[in-house]
Amino acid sequence: MVADTASYHRIVLDSRPAGRPTADNFRLEEVAVPTLEDGEVLVRNHYLSIDPYMLGRMSTGVSYAPSQPLGEVMIGEAVGEIVQSRNKEFPVGDHVVGQLGWQEMALSDGQALRRVDIGAAPMSAHLGVLGMTGVTAWYGMTQICSPVAGSTVVVSAAAGAVGGVAVQLAKAKGCRVVGIAGGSRKCKYVMESLGADACVDYKKHADSAALGRAVGSHAPDGVDAYFDNVNGWMLDGVLPLMNRFGRIALCGMISRYGDTPMQLSAHSYLLISRLRAEGFIVWDHLDLWPQALQELTDLLQSGSLRSGESIAEGIEAAPAACIGLLSGENLGKQLVKLN
Amino acid sequence: MVADTASYHRIVLDSRPAGRPTADNFRLEEVAVPTLEDGEVLVRNHYLSIDPYMLGRMSTGVSYAPSQPLGEVMIGEAVGEIVQSRNKEFPVGDHVVGQLGWQEMALSDGQALRRVDIGAAPMSAHLGVLGMTGVTAWYGMTQICSPVAGSTVVVSAAAGAVGGVAVQLAKAKGCRVVGIAGGSRKCKYVMESLGADACVDYKKHADSAALGRAVGSHAPDGVDAYFDNVNGWMLDGVLPLMNRFGRIALCGMISRYGDTPMQLSAHSYLLISRLRAEGFIVWDHLDLWPQALQELTDLLQSGSLRSGESIAEGIEAAPAACIGLLSGENLGKQLVKLN
């Protein structure tokens, strides 16, 4: 619970990071709990979702979304409980997910809130496997990679939140799955907890060619689909391994975060191997969310899907959790649990 | 007619080009007309098709097809008339298209021959708008770019054989079409003969950014689809102009022919703008050829599609025609008419 119900804490973006963010870019504030106007609700946030896209929002570069304004509460999804309501749609006691920001309490007009059933899964899962993370993996895997049983699927950032769900969805389809992750701890997690057939530690490979050879050694029949969270040199390594008519879901560009954009050298394989590469953002496909959430819930309840989480404690831990995520420290979904 | 019916001329690949081919890489031979075995036909070739893909075949690099063997007749499509037959399917007098090679006469078992109706269009058109060229443009434009009336389509190598058909197909769909071609003569042809709304002379622009600005000035509403025959720096110039959910048909890599592979810098727009880029080879889609040829024939006969051709004379002109094509000298389809 929030200690003092007259005020709460939030984190604002204080300055723009030069490259990767540091603790100095964020500022903790204590502010008064607002008075509700008609139609509004007050949500007490229980978990914050920390996601790689946040770096793009903190910068002013070209992205698919507007930049995070300085001095305002950090954007981000959260799950919480409605503690005050002047909106008939959302009574006190409902649990909701929304773009509620890095703060202990959030005011909302209810428009962008999604009610969640905490009987179906723990609250935190609604930010992970049953939230944007899960639906992102579902969309890229089922709508773009569309693998069939027996085919080979490669997933990069396989120990991350989205990659981890993508690995499990491909396994549930009966595919051979080769993950790519950084370090032996993550590779062990990808194979032992997520069920991948193999996992390549990219930190052991100096360049695209070496990485490609390592992935190829675990994909004797070539690669039919690639769920790419990294882009850049990793995409360059996998492109030459792709089988004819292969599909590449372009989900993220971790390789670019905070660094100089990477040049791509192996793009000629798109033509040589007649590949389809498609970028996507899960928010463009709201019509498919009900189907995705139903399938993900079924898989979760049947035990075919695990909800891997790394949880930091307290609002003041959010900046470090975000910095850690961007350095690849997390296994699975990075969350901040609010006290 | 072939002067001496006991022999004919052909051109073989004598050595592999280092970069772009020169006349020295080819050799003219005179050989005896073979005696037919059961099931075979002898075709007298009337026109040879000269195509950009031939450079890929002459090299030993990675491609979607095996290399052209040294000392053997140059591969390539031709259209001709059956002059001897021991195959009931293909009687003397039939006109056929096939991979008959750079030669005045060709032996075939009939397996890969396609009978053509020279009443529907002149013989040469069956190598161009009603042949592989036309179906390639049709597939990329209708199946990947899939433009709707009022949208903006960019076509590179717009004065070339495939590009020229692509321009006209997009115009027939009611699109705004911006061509990219090299030189004012080609740009004039693309606008005046093919009907493009604008054409950018890429030779006037030093880099991707400048080219992009020039194309963008003719695409005030952004670019919805890009039919790419060039790849490399031209793809880099167009990628930032693409509208959300845009489609890119990857048809060729002229920019790479004979040169060092180009790196791609703007590939992050695939994700930022949620684009779909798809490579294709028309031979993978034989099931769609009847539909494509019917639609192309209808457009040709209704006057919505022109068959632009550059015609060289005599088998001995084939190497120069190929070298010229790879230097971008042709307007429309490059053919060699055999005497």
Side-chain angles (χ1 to χ4, degrees):
Chain A
M1 289 298 292
V2 178
D4 175 357
T5 52
S7 69
Y8 66 96
H9 296 96
R10 65 182 194 182
I11 288 176
V12 302
L13 186 66
D14 196 44
S15 58
R16 300 210 179 276
R20 288 168 195 272
T22 62
D24 292 346
N25 298 125
F26 304 94
R27 189 176 73 241
L28 182 70
E29 290 183 344
E30 183 167 2
V31 290
V33 171
T35 305
L36 272 59
E37 302 202 356
D38 207 38
E40 291 184 331
V41 298
L42 187 69
V43 182
R44 195 221 133 184
N45 288 336
H46 284 248
Y47 290 92
L48 308 181
S49 173
I50 307 293
D51 298 286
Y53 74 80
M54 290 169 171
L55 181 62
R57 301 293 181 90
M58 285 187 260
S59 81
T60 54
V62 176
S63 179
Y64 45 76
S67 291
Q68 157 79 38
L70 285 180
E72 293 192 18
V73 66
M74 265 294 295
I75 51 98
E77 277 205 314
V79 63
E81 183 180 354
I82 293 177
V83 290
Q84 290 182 37
S85 177
R86 292 185 64 185
N87 182 319
K88 280 182 225 156
E89 298 279 315
F90 293 100
V92 168
D94 270 13
H95 290 87
V96 293
V97 164
Q99 281 288 341
L100 300 167
W102 291 13
Q103 49 190 348
E104 292 169 328
M105 310 281 276
L107 201 65
S108 168
D109 62 4
Q111 295 250 346
L113 294 183
R114 176 167 66 89
R115 191 179 285 101
V116 296
D117 176 8
I118 63 163
M123 225 189 298
S124 61
H126 295 285
L127 291 178
V129 286
L130 299 186
M132 182 185 68
T133 296
V135 179
T136 297
W138 179 92
Y139 185 89
M141 189 55 72
T142 68
Q143 306 297 298
I144 299 176
C145 290
S146 50
V148 294
S151 65
T152 299
V153 178
V154 173
V155 179
S156 59
V162 170
V165 178
V167 164
Q168 295 178 86
L169 290 176
K171 283 308 299 177
K173 295 266 182 192
C175 301
R176 177 174 180 79
V177 179
V178 182
I180 303 175
S184 56
R185 181 183 68 118
K186 286 190 180 176
C187 284
K188 187 168 187 272
Y189 169 75
V190 170
M191 293 178 68
E192 294 181 6
S193 295
L194 306 179
D197 299 279
C199 188
V200 171
D201 176 1
Y202 72 79
K203 293 186 175 176
K204 289 188 177 167
H205 302 285
D207 58 23
S208 297
L211 179 74
R213 283 191 296 273
V215 174
S217 73
H218 296 292
D221 299 324
V223 176
D224 299 295
Y226 175 38
F227 192 107
D228 175 41
N229 290 302
V230 177
N231 211 290
W233 77 286
M234 219 169 274
L235 182 54
D236 259 344
V238 175
L239 271 166
L241 307 173
M242 299 293 296
N243 289 327
R244 277 196 292 175
F245 313 123
R247 285 85 52 201
I248 302 176
L250 300 170
C251 180
M253 297 186 288
I254 300 175
S255 68
R256 206 175 79 128
Y257 285 169
D259 299 311
T260 311
M262 289 281 303
Q263 292 205 307
L264 203 63
S265 296
H267 54 284
S268 59
Y269 284 93
L270 290 169
L271 177 51
I272 292 168
S273 306
R274 291 87 106 185
L275 309 177
R276 174 187 292 182
E278 190 165 346
F280 73 102
I281 307 286
V282 73
W283 302 115
D284 294 327
H285 307 285
L286 291 176
D287 55 316
L288 292 174
W289 277 60
Q291 180 190 348
L293 289 173
Q294 188 57 58
E295 290 185 23
L296 290 161
T297 302
D298 292 347
L299 287 167
L300 191 67
Q301 292 180 343
S302 73
S304 304
L305 184 60
R306 294 167 165 249
S307 173
E309 296 169 349
S310 293
I311 300 180
E313 297 271 341
I315 184 80
E316 64 282 3
C322 184
I323 293 163
L325 174 95
L326 295 170
S327 308
E329 287 173 14
N330 59 304
L331 288 184
K333 180 74 190 180
Q334 179 66 58
L335 299 168
V336 177
K337 185 174 190 307
L338 302 183
N339 303 308
Chain B
M1 290 295 293
V2 179
D4 175 355
T5 52
S7 70
Y8 66 94
H9 296 94
R10 67 183 193 182
I11 289 176
V12 301
L13 185 66
D14 196 44
S15 59
R16 299 209 180 277
R20 288 170 194 271
T22 62
D24 292 346
N25 297 125
F26 303 94
R27 189 175 74 241
L28 183 70
E29 291 183 342
E30 184 168 359
V31 291
V33 171
T35 305
L36 270 60
E37 302 203 357
D38 208 36
E40 291 182 332
V41 299
L42 187 69
V43 181
R44 194 221 134 184
N45 288 339
H46 283 248
Y47 290 92
L48 309 181
S49 173
I50 307 293
D51 297 286
Y53 73 81
M54 289 169 171
L55 181 62
R57 302 293 181 89
M58 285 187 261
S59 81
T60 54
V62 177
S63 180
Y64 45 75
S67 290
Q68 157 79 37
L70 286 180
E72 293 191 18
V73 65
M74 267 293 295
I75 49 98
E77 276 205 314
V79 62
E81 183 180 354
I82 293 177
V83 291
Q84 290 182 38
S85 177
R86 291 184 63 183
N87 182 319
K88 279 181 224 156
E89 297 279 315
F90 291 100
V92 169
D94 270 13
H95 289 86
V96 292
V97 164
Q99 281 286 345
L100 299 168
W102 290 13
Q103 50 190 346
E104 292 169 328
M105 311 283 275
L107 201 64
S108 167
D109 64 4
Q111 294 249 348
L113 294 182
R114 177 167 65 87
R115 191 178 285 101
V116 296
D117 174 8
I118 63 164
M123 223 188 299
S124 61
H126 295 285
L127 292 177
V129 284
L130 299 186
M132 181 185 69
T133 296
V135 178
T136 296
W138 180 92
Y139 185 88
M141 189 54 70
T142 67
Q143 305 298 297
I144 300 176
C145 289
S146 50
V148 295
S151 64
T152 299
V153 178
V154 172
V155 179
S156 58
V162 170
V165 177
V167 165
Q168 296 178 83
L169 290 176
K171 282 309 298 177
K173 295 265 184 194
C175 300
R176 177 174 181 80
V177 179
V178 182
I180 303 174
S184 56
R185 181 183 68 118
K186 286 189 181 176
C187 283
K188 187 168 188 276
Y189 169 76
V190 170
M191 294 179 68
E192 294 181 6
S193 295
L194 306 179
D197 298 278
C199 189
V200 171
D201 177 1
Y202 71 80
K203 294 187 174 175
K204 289 187 177 166
H205 302 285
D207 57 24
S208 297
L211 179 74
R213 283 191 294 274
V215 174
S217 73
H218 296 292
D221 299 324
V223 176
D224 300 294
Y226 176 37
F227 192 108
D228 176 41
N229 290 301
V230 177
N231 212 285
W233 77 285
M234 218 169 276
L235 182 54
D236 259 345
V238 176
L239 272 166
L241 307 174
M242 299 294 295
N243 289 327
R244 277 195 294 175
F245 314 122
R247 287 83 53 200
I248 302 176
L250 300 171
C251 180
M253 297 185 288
I254 299 177
S255 68
R256 206 175 80 130
Y257 285 168
D259 300 311
T260 311
M262 288 282 302
Q263 290 205 308
L264 203 62
S265 297
H267 54 287
S268 58
Y269 284 92
L270 289 169
L271 177 52
I272 292 168
S273 306
R274 292 87 106 184
L275 309 178
R276 173 186 291 182
E278 189 165 345
F280 73 102
I281 308 285
V282 72
W283 302 116
D284 294 327
H285 307 285
L286 291 175
D287 55 317
L288 292 174
W289 276 60
Q291 181 191 347
L293 289 173
Q294 187 58 58
E295 290 184 24
L296 290 162
T297 301
D298 291 348
L299 287 167
L300 191 68
Q301 291 179 344
S302 73
S304 303
L305 186 59
R306 298 167 163 247
S307 172
E309 296 169 348
S310 292
I311 301 180
E313 297 271 341
I315 184 79
E316 65 282 3
C322 184
I323 293 163
L325 174 96
L326 295 170
S327 308
E329 288 174 12
N330 59 303
L331 288 183
K333 181 75 190 179
Q334 180 66 58
L335 299 169
V336 177
K337 184 176 191 307
L338 302 183
N339 302 307

